[in-house]
């Protein structure tokens, strides 16, 4: 059984620091990274290691599918009882018919023009699982040729979220 270790964490600091650790890698690929929190700080209850893992996965995917000259924007928004973390890119995008299955185990959408993209397809599955353990949600908004926006919404305190029947 997968267990998360909940702690009180400044989510803005966690997301900013995580994104900054990837900045050199992303810039070396000729991609801009913009970190744009909409507030100074916000304390939530989460497993910082696991949320960091999710953010790294989403930014890493964005870097993999964004061409040189593109941009990745990481945003944190306060939604009162929730917080939203968004990783948006100007990459290849994902057709709508794939928006749900990309979070399923072993499903990876191949870009016909670039067969070199490879991986187990587990990154988004693990990310989705971790977010669900936090009683949050994750989804994608994407248009082929324009990019993707992966949006995580986490409750401020997952212990106070009623179990869904």
């Amino acid at each position: 059984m997968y267990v998360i270790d909940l702690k009180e964490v400044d989510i803005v600091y966690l997301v900013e620091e995580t994104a900054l650790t990837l900045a050199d890698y992303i810039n070396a690929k000729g991609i801009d990274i913009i970190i744009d929190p909409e507030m100074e700080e916000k304390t939530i209850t989460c497993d910082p290691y696991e949320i960091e893992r999710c953010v790294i996965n989403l930014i890493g995917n964005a870097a993999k599918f964004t061409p040189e000259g593109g941009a990745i924007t990481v945003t944190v928004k306060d939604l009162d009882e929730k917080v939203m973390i968004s990783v948006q890119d100007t990459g290849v995008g994902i057709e709508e018919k794939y928006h749900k299955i990309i979070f399923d185990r072993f499903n990876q959408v191949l870009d016909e023009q670039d067969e070199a993209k490879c991986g187990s397809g587990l990154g988004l599955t693990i990310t989705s699982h971790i977010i669900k353990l936090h009683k949050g949600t994750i989804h994608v908004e994407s248009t082929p040729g324009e990019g993707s926006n992966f949006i995580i919404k986490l409750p401020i305190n997952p212990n106070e979220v009623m179990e869904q029947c």
Side-chain angles (χ1 to χ4, degrees), residues 94-110 121 124-125 140:
I94 304 162
E95 287 184 57
E96 190 169 352
K97 65 183 177 183
Y98 298 121
H99 287 189
K100 291 211 185 321
I101 68 164
I102 59 171
F103 297 105
D104 292 341
R105 196 166 170 216
F106 303 118
N107 274 320
Q108 183 174 34
V109 178
L110 289 174
L124 287 175
T125 301
V140 65

Side-chain angles (χ1 to χ4, degrees), residues 37-130:
E38 295 191 359
M39 68 267 197
E40 295 282 319
E41 61 182 56
K42 178 79 173 186
T43 301
I44 73 167
T45 303
C46 70
D47 183 325
Y49 171 79
E50 296 297 344
I51 297 302
E52 176 182 27
R53 194 168 156 188
C54 294
V55 172
I56 287 170
N57 183 26
L58 294 179
I59 294 173
N61 281 352
K64 191 188 320 184
F65 295 104
T66 299
E68 189 173 338
I72 299 168
T73 303
V74 181
T75 309
V76 184
K77 288 184 181 180
D78 187 348
L79 304 177
D80 294 325
E81 293 303 310
K82 292 182 181 178
V83 67
M84 184 181 93
I85 302 165
S86 164
V87 177
Q88 186 166 16
D89 65 59
T90 59
V92 296
I94 304 162
E95 287 184 57
E96 190 169 352
K97 65 183 177 183
Y98 298 121
H99 287 189
K100 291 211 185 321
I101 68 164
I102 59 171
F103 297 105
D104 292 341
R105 196 166 170 216
F106 303 118
N107 274 320
Q108 183 174 34
V109 178
L110 289 174
D111 180 0
E112 286 79 24
Q113 286 115 26
D114 190 358
E115 292 292 327
K117 305 274 190 257
C118 58
S120 65
L122 280 173
L124 287 175
T125 301
I126 292 167
T127 296
S128 177
H129 183 69
I130 290 167

Side-chain angles (χ1 to χ4, degrees), residues 11-24 26-27 32-39 55 59 72-76 86:
I11 193 67
V12 178
Y13 178 81
L14 178 70
V15 172
E16 282 181 322
E17 289 300 305
T18 302
L20 285 171
T21 63
L22 297 168
D24 288 344
I26 291 164
N27 292 150
D32 288 331
I33 182 161
I34 300 140
I35 304 165
D36 186 23
E38 295 191 359
M39 68 267 197
V55 172
I59 294 173
I72 299 168
T73 303
V74 181
T75 309
V76 184
S86 164

